[in-house]
Amino acid sequence: MPVNLRGRNFLKLLDYTPAEIRYLLDLSADFKRKKRSGEPHRYLAGKNIVLLFEKTSTRTRCSFEVAGLDLGCGVTYLDPGSSQMGKKESIADTARVLGRMYDGIEYRGFAQATVQALADYSGVPVWNGLTDQFHPTQMLADLLTIEEKLGRLKGVNFTYMGDARNNMGNSLMVACAKMGLNFTACAPKELFPEQWLIDEAKKIAAESGGSVRLTEDVQEGTRDADVIYTDIWVSMGEPDSVWAERIRLLQPYQVNAAAMANAKPTAIFMHCLPSFHDTNTTIGAEIAQKFGINEMEVTDEVFESKQSVVFDEAENRMHTIKAVIYATLC
């Protein structure tokens, strides 16, 4: 049966079937081919989209802007100080105003309830650029990258190391379950995902041929992995006071040469970025001075290694977001 996503929201991968995700990945690969060959694809000329950002970003903003412009859309960017949403105007009222002016709305911010409210009231497709709970556009980029590098998705042994109950841990577990990968969360028990989501992911994995497991053991978690993935230890919006505890909990789960050596020789390293793999950032320098560590979730050796595919992954944000915009507006 042909896949038709016109008018759909893209809030979390739990809402999408494996066939629909497969369609978006194939569409992404086609748009990537068109982009690289210089083939015009302004299929949405005359459409307009708005990007609502409560949390700033490099990759999400640039990916949505370039994707929209490549497709022929007009693009409006509203930063955290350029909108009255949630301050002088409710989310519902904002949604109803923007839905009359724009054909699609992207939101990047904090609560999943906010992006859901935009979808409930706007009357146009809404795309989740990140919330505290889920990050679905990143998932498409990650899946596309894995398939490009390893030639398959089903049966891939995927290990996520770090804070497994943040938006990346949640989303990667769901994405792997949907597409038949063997997902392992390698993390301290205090940072495992919520039990309801683990149960749901295991149910989905049983249908797709994948699997879901959680372990605190780094040796067990990284053994024979095809992919080792990590994310920053403290997310945007969390207070500085959590750094000490997060470093204490997660330092044993740093992706380093030993972790990569325990994986398959063909294993790849992935990270959604930004990454604190050195002290060449303000936060990296501050943490080094305060806690005496020069590398956090991944060592510079691994980040800069031939196994690292983080910049291919970053580029794929643009191609996969383009697919989402096109599929839901065309």
Side-chain angles (χ1 to χ4, degrees), residues 45-172:
K47 301 283 189 182
N48 293 286
I49 63 174
V50 61
L51 314 180
L52 300 177
F53 277 63
E54 289 185 329
K55 286 186 177 182
T56 57
S57 168
T58 299
R59 279 149 300 281
T60 302
R61 176 182 176 177
C62 293
S63 295
F64 267 100
E65 285 196 350
V66 174
L69 293 169
D70 279 357
L71 289 167
C73 296
V75 180
T76 299
Y77 171 74
L78 295 178
D79 65 27
S82 298
S83 160
Q84 297 299 335
M85 184 178 74
K87 300 169 190 174
K88 294 182 179 179
E89 187 169 51
S90 70
I91 305 301
D93 289 355
T94 300
R96 285 179 285 192
V97 169
L98 295 178
R100 291 177 177 233
M101 299 181 181
Y102 293 95
D103 300 287
I105 300 170
E106 181 271 351
Y107 169 81
R108 178 183 172 92
F110 296 94
Q112 185 73 19
T114 301
V115 77
Q116 183 63 61
L118 288 168
D120 290 343
Y121 288 97
S122 67
V124 298
V126 173
W127 312 299
N128 181 359
L130 174 143
T131 64
D132 290 345
Q133 193 171 15
F134 293 111
H135 197 358
T137 57
Q138 180 69 51
M139 293 307 99
L140 292 181
D142 293 340
L143 292 170
L144 181 63
T145 304
I146 293 168
E147 193 163 57
E148 288 176 342
K149 300 302 178 182
L150 301 181
R152 70 192 194 285
L153 290 177
K154 282 191 176 293
V156 164
N157 296 327
F158 184 105
T159 296
Y160 175 79
M161 297 177 70
D163 184 351
R165 41 107 232 220
N166 71 6
N167 49 27
M168 288 303 299
N170 290 343
S171 298
L172 287 166

Side-chain angles (χ1 to χ4, degrees), residues 24-312:
L24 288 171
L25 292 174
D26 291 343
L27 187 58
S28 302
D30 187 52
F31 276 130
K32 185 171 185 177
R33 179 191 61 77
K34 286 180 167 64
K35 178 75 171 178
R36 291 194 163 187
S37 67
E39 182 181 338
H41 43 281
R42 294 174 60 83
Y43 304 139
L44 298 181
K47 301 283 189 182
N48 293 286
I49 63 174
V50 61
L51 314 180
L52 300 177
F53 277 63
E54 289 185 329
K55 286 186 177 182
T56 57
S57 168
T58 299
R59 279 149 300 281
T60 302
R61 176 182 176 177
C62 293
S63 295
F64 267 100
E65 285 196 350
V66 174
L69 293 169
D70 279 357
L71 289 167
C73 296
V75 180
T76 299
Y77 171 74
L78 295 178
D79 65 27
S82 298
S83 160
Q84 297 299 335
M85 184 178 74
K87 300 169 190 174
K88 294 182 179 179
E89 187 169 51
S90 70
I91 305 301
D93 289 355
T94 300
R96 285 179 285 192
V97 169
L98 295 178
R100 291 177 177 233
M101 299 181 181
Y102 293 95
D103 300 287
I105 300 170
E106 181 271 351
Y107 169 81
R108 178 183 172 92
F110 296 94
Q112 185 73 19
T114 301
V115 77
Q116 183 63 61
L118 288 168
D120 290 343
Y121 288 97
S122 67
V124 298
V126 173
W127 312 299
N128 181 359
L130 174 143
T131 64
D132 290 345
Q133 193 171 15
F134 293 111
H135 197 358
T137 57
Q138 180 69 51
M139 293 307 99
L140 292 181
D142 293 340
L143 292 170
L144 181 63
T145 304
I146 293 168
E147 193 163 57
E148 288 176 342
K149 300 302 178 182
L150 301 181
R152 70 192 194 285
L153 290 177
K154 282 191 176 293
V156 164
N157 296 327
F158 184 105
T159 296
Y160 175 79
M161 297 177 70
D163 184 351
R165 41 107 232 220
N166 71 6
N167 49 27
M168 288 303 299
N170 290 343
S171 298
L172 287 166
M173 181 169 64
V174 171
C176 289
K178 288 275 185 179
M179 302 310 288
L181 289 78
N182 300 313
F183 176 83
T184 296
C186 187
K189 196 168 186 178
E190 300 97 310
L191 301 181
F192 281 0
E194 292 184 45
Q195 191 59 50
W196 74 267
L197 189 59
I198 295 171
D199 294 341
E200 183 66 19
K202 285 184 174 181
K203 179 182 175 182
I204 294 167
E207 297 172 355
S208 72
S211 63
V212 172
R213 68 169 178 161
L214 298 93
T215 181
E216 295 184 87
D217 189 311
V218 173
Q219 283 292 106
E220 178 188 347
T222 57
R223 187 177 297 119
D224 294 326
D226 293 298
V227 179
I228 293 184
Y229 199 118
T230 193
D231 187 17
I232 54 176
W233 290 344
V234 175
S235 298
M236 185 185 299
E238 292 189 282
D240 290 343
S241 58
V242 306
W243 272 108
E245 177 67 2
R246 206 65 59 78
I247 289 170
R248 182 188 71 79
L249 284 172
L250 290 176
Q251 206 157 13
Y253 298 91
Q254 180 190 71
V255 179
N256 51 35
M260 294 303 297
N262 198 42
K264 291 181 181 178
T266 54
I268 58 176
F269 168 73
M270 301 181 71
H271 193 306
C272 56
L273 302 181
S275 170
F276 299 128
H277 57 96
D278 55 27
T279 58
N280 295 329
T281 62
T282 302
I283 293 176
E286 289 175 354
I287 296 301
Q289 184 176 25
K290 189 172 183 179
F291 298 102
I293 57 172
N294 295 326
E295 304 161 311
M296 285 184 262
E297 73 279 0
V298 59
T299 62
D300 193 59
E301 177 185 14
V302 171
F303 187 88
E304 298 291 355
S305 71
K306 291 182 179 179
Q307 290 174 286
S308 175
V309 299
V310 298
F311 296 109
D312 299 284

